[in-house]
Amino acid sequence: MISRQTFLRAVVLGCGGERKVWALLERRTMMNGVEKTNGEDLATEEQLITPWTVSVASGYTLLRDPRHNKGLAFTVDERDAHYLRGLLPPALMTQELQEKKLMHNLRQYEVPLQRYMAMMDLQERNERLFYKLLIDNVEELLPVVYTPTVGEACQKYGTIFRRPQGLYISLKEKGKILEVLKNWPESNIQVIVVTDGERILGLGDLGCQGMGIPVGKLSLYTALGGLRPSACLPVTIDVGTNNEKLLNDEFYIGLRQRRATGQEYAELLEEFMTAVKKNYGEKVLVQFEDFANHNAFELLEKYSPTHLVFNDDIQGTASVVLAGLLAALKLVGGALADHRFLFLGAGEAGTGIAELIALEISKQTKAPLEETRKKIWLVDSKGLIVSSRKESLQHFKKPWAHDHEPVKGLLDAVKAIKPTVLIGSSGVGKTFTKEVVEAMTSINEKPLILALSNPTSQSECTAEEAYTWSKGRAIFASGSPFDPVEYNRKVFVPGQANNAYIFPGFGLGLIMSGAIRVHDDMLLAASEALAAQVKQENFDKGLIYPPFSNIRNISANIAAKVAAKAYELGLASRLPRPKDLVKYAESCMYSPVYRSYR
């Protein structure tokens, strides 16, 4: 054991000496296939542990380290052992009582952004209590830490910014990105969520202020998927912004210049991806988040063969929507191949969902992918995507250009195509009008309507509109949450096609199997695993997704199916394969329960 005096002497020696001590203190081993980096991670919940990185310094430091701070939950013995006497009021409080108090306080705020800021403050001072609160109250707090509130937080990030929660890599760091990565205090990173802020939710270019998205996503990776907080790294690539409002905002925290494009942009991303692999190894998962269409598809296509990469907007959205469709078959009948799909929106989300549906139909029917794509039609800003438009289409839209006469608007497309499923991924609110919903209802006994655009203000229609205009016949799900709706003396509970159902468990499955690449079959496996979690009691309420209250169990089942597919495809490096992958996934999950310090 290193003494307090030895530690303090090393600190006095300066940065080099301090780093040597941190290296000496760090313990690294493998536990349940997921790499752990300190004594706290290695111990069981019943074991006494030493908060190494702080106990040797001072109690004052311990109270300001979010990973180890327990506030009033420090016992009398811990207060004596770790120099905390006098630094805390005399009262003792359990984690459960702290949680009760905080939930009471949060519910007093009437403005969602105030709740968001209160949660961020908690995360910065007491990490375990933050995750305990989020896990135990996930249905209430998910809209606070993620969509829709995170959208407003990103818009106002410059104003509410207090302390950095991730790495900011701008054009000023070009040529030094590997050095910048080494400035991050954790060396054992398992998942990186990265954005360039150009297409934040349905809010457009928010530049550097898009950091709220990676921070929020990684909070869910821990709360819902069980990855250790210390293994998660949020990154914002700042290449400027074309948002005039931000460029003229005195509180804007990013580069004040127009967005870099072309070779300059490509070189910065290439340096970043190369540095990530060099610093963290082959198995670090890089999740691309909220990149604009023109970059999102290119980055995924470019780095999929060489890195473990995943685009949540393209692949995660597709997987969660496919899961909802598979589950909905029990309500509407037939096989997936029996249905016709019409999309409003042909960007990364729309085309990603369409492709995964086509892949699943191809898998089920053994029909060629080119044939199964013909069951799916897309409408963009210029109307129905048809073969006569093929020459002018972006490359990712071309597979969906089928033979049909031109059709301008969505309503005319619904009448022409007669879809059984209507999916909105346009990022434009109020586009599923009364006439559109009524047309869907005239064609189908139970029209399946998915209004997926986020945040709530950008949703193609509300739950109330969908149920009212369809006279209670629609099966509805949305991207952002809506409250239950009463229509004709019956209560309808709208489902939420939230990516949070998929990406935490998907990421855990990749990491616990040591996967080195992402394969489309893994996405199909995740969809099928999620659909299988929907129970009859959920169907009885019109739901096509299971409740979030059981999300950790759902994530464990998704992780198990994804890992199984990785082993089957020969893409897993963690050997031997565990016998029970669900139990293995559960054993890998981070627990937010306070640890006892010796």
Side-chain angles (χ1 to χ4, degrees):
M1 181 182 293
I2 185 169
S3 70
R4 175 182 170 87
Q5 289 76 17
T6 303
F7 175 82
L8 293 175
R9 192 179 305 120
V11 172
V12 170
L13 290 174
C15 183
E18 187 176 355
R19 286 186 177 178
K20 288 176 183 176
V21 173
W22 292 127
L24 179 63
L25 292 175
E26 188 180 67
R27 300 289 185 266
R28 183 175 296 169
T29 187
M30 301 299 295
M31 179 180 177
N32 296 329
V34 178
E35 201 166 347
K36 307 290 185 177
T37 58
N38 56 49
E40 186 167 352
D41 287 325
L42 291 172
T44 65
E45 285 184 24
E46 292 74 30
Q47 286 178 288
L48 292 170
I49 58 141
T50 299
W52 274 110
T53 59
V54 289
S55 67
V56 292
S58 73
Y60 190 78
T61 306
L62 178 57
L63 290 175
R64 278 150 182 79
D65 185 327
R67 187 178 303 175
H68 299 97
N69 179 33
K70 300 195 292 184
L72 292 177
F74 282 110
T75 66
V76 172
D77 288 343
E78 287 171 337
R79 295 179 191 204
D80 281 335
H82 299 292
Y83 315 100
L84 292 167
R85 279 283 181 180
L87 300 182
L88 289 166
L92 300 176
M93 194 176 286
T94 64
Q95 191 176 26
E96 289 70 26
L97 189 56
Q98 288 178 319
E99 185 178 355
K100 181 180 178 181
K101 172 188 169 185
L102 281 165
M103 285 307 299
H104 171 77
N105 291 344
L106 283 170
R107 288 167 183 151
Q108 305 308 304
Y109 292 119
E110 295 182 3
V111 179
L113 187 61
Q114 292 176 325
R115 294 194 193 101
Y116 174 90
M117 293 173 67
M119 287 295 288
M120 293 304 102
D121 285 344
L122 176 61
Q123 187 179 21
E124 290 172 7
R125 72 173 184 272
N126 189 329
E127 190 173 84
R128 286 186 179 271
L129 186 55
F130 170 84
Y131 286 112
K132 184 79 162 59
L133 208 67
L134 186 50
I135 291 167
D136 292 349
N137 304 276
V138 63
E139 290 180 301
E140 184 174 349
L141 295 180
L142 188 61
V144 175
V145 300
Y146 199 59
T147 182
T149 311
V150 73
E152 183 184 359
C154 287
Q155 288 176 308
K156 300 175 179 176
Y157 213 74
T159 304
I160 66 175
F161 179 83
R162 292 179 181 174
R163 55 177 286 187
Q165 292 178 287
L167 273 181
Y168 294 84
I169 298 175
S170 74
L171 289 168
K172 292 182 177 180
E173 280 70 61
K174 193 173 182 181
K176 303 176 183 177
I177 293 180
L178 182 59
E179 182 182 328
V180 172
L181 291 178
K182 292 181 183 298
N183 287 342
W184 189 250
E186 302 294 339
S187 59
N188 180 37
I189 299 299
Q190 293 172 327
V191 60
I192 294 170
V193 176
V194 58
T195 187
D196 71 352
E198 189 169 4
R199 193 201 60 82
I200 298 298
L201 301 176
L203 302 170
D205 187 350
L206 297 183
C208 192
Q209 297 187 171
M211 179 59 95
I213 297 294
V215 169
K217 284 272 167 136
L218 287 168
S219 295
L220 300 186
Y221 257 115
T222 296
L224 313 186
L227 271 73
R228 289 178 297 103
S230 59
C232 301
L233 174 57
V235 175
T236 289
I237 305 286
D238 186 0
V239 295
T241 179
N242 294 334
N243 187 324
E244 289 290 346
K245 186 177 179 182
L246 292 179
L247 289 172
N248 295 320
D249 183 353
E250 64 178 324
F251 299 125
Y252 180 55
I253 59 175
L255 288 179
R256 293 180 185 275
Q257 65 173 63
R258 292 278 176 182
R259 279 191 170 272
T261 58
Q263 185 176 349
E264 187 178 19
Y265 180 91
E267 286 176 355
L268 190 72
L269 267 294
E270 174 67 21
E271 184 186 348
F272 170 71
M273 294 301 292
T274 302
V276 160
K277 196 169 180 178
K278 184 172 183 179
N279 203 46
Y280 303 121
E282 183 88 9
K283 292 178 285 187
V284 62
L285 171 62
V286 178
Q287 178 169 311
F288 296 120
E289 198 69 41
D290 287 356
F291 285 77
N293 290 340
H294 56 276
N295 289 320
F297 288 102
E298 288 182 15
L299 290 171
L300 188 61
E301 184 178 355
K302 180 176 181 180
Y303 292 107
S304 289
T306 58
H307 292 68
L308 184 67
V309 292
F310 172 70
N311 186 304
D312 193 39
D313 304 298
I314 299 172
Q315 297 166 297
T317 302
S319 188
V320 75
V321 172
L322 177 59
L325 297 175
L326 293 173
L329 294 176
K330 296 196 176 173
L331 293 172
V332 299
L336 200 63
D338 299 328
H339 290 269
R340 292 181 305 282
F341 306 86
L342 180 63
F343 285 76
L344 177 63
E348 55 195 281
T351 55
I353 299 165
E355 185 71 4
L356 205 63
I357 293 171
L359 281 167
E360 180 69 14
I361 295 174
S362 177
K363 176 185 169 186
Q364 291 180 5
T365 63
K366 310 300 181 188
L369 188 60
E370 292 74 17
E371 286 300 311
T372 61
R373 283 177 178 151
K374 292 177 181 177
K375 296 180 180 292
I376 303 165
W377 297 81
L378 279 66
V379 173
D380 65 7
S381 60
K382 296 180 180 177
L384 191 67
I385 294 178
V386 293
S387 53
S388 61
R389 294 178 52 196
K390 204 162 189 175
E391 292 304 314
S392 62
L393 291 172
Q394 293 164 287
H395 71 279
F396 55 85
K397 295 182 182 181
K398 289 184 177 181
W400 312 104
H402 309 317
D403 291 334
H404 197 284
E405 64 272 14
V407 178
K408 279 293 181 188
L410 176 62
L411 179 59
D412 291 337
V414 169
K415 292 175 179 177
I417 303 301
K418 293 181 169 52
T420 56
V421 181
L422 179 63
I423 299 174
S425 60
S426 61
V428 182
K430 306 299 180 185
T431 43
F432 288 178
T433 62
K434 183 179 180 183
E435 291 76 18
V436 167
V437 174
E438 286 177 343
M440 283 293 295
T441 309
S442 69
I443 298 165
N444 304 285
E445 179 61 31
K446 292 182 178 179
L448 184 51
I449 298 173
L450 307 182
L452 303 179
S453 294
N454 289 317
T456 311
S457 60
Q458 306 304 115
S459 185
E460 286 79 8
C461 70
T462 67
E464 184 176 8
E465 289 168 345
Y467 293 126
T468 302
W469 294 338
S470 68
K471 295 182 168 55
R473 285 160 52 189
I475 297 165
F476 177 82
S478 56
S480 288
F482 284 102
D483 292 331
V485 175
E486 185 175 348
Y487 175 79
N488 202 17
R489 287 180 290 187
K490 182 178 178 182
V491 176
F492 295 87
V493 183
Q496 188 186 357
N498 193 319
N499 292 21
Y501 276 117
I502 289 288
F503 72 81
F506 188 81
L508 177 62
L510 295 174
I511 290 165
M512 75 185 205
S513 63
I516 55 172
R517 299 291 180 268
V518 171
H519 192 282
D520 285 337
D521 284 355
M522 297 175 181
L523 297 168
L524 297 178
S527 298
E528 291 161 7
L530 176 56
Q533 301 295 305
V534 187
K535 310 300 182 190
Q536 187 58 48
E537 63 199 64
N538 309 133
F539 288 126
D540 292 342
K541 296 177 182 177
L543 286 168
I544 55 175
Y545 292 100
F548 262 109
S549 56
N550 197 31
I551 187 62
R552 276 206 156 196
N553 180 258
I554 293 168
S555 292
N557 280 275
I558 291 172
K561 292 293 186 183
V562 170
K565 186 59 68 173
Y567 284 107
E568 180 187 320
L569 295 170
L571 295 172
S573 64
R574 196 90 68 199
L575 299 172
R577 170 181 166 156
K579 292 180 180 177
D580 188 328
L581 285 169
V582 175
K583 286 185 177 177
Y584 180 64
E586 290 172 343
S587 72
C588 290
M589 287 183 167
Y590 164 87
S591 169
V593 175
Y594 284 151
R595 315 306 299 271
S596 296
Y597 299 155
R598 57 176 165 236

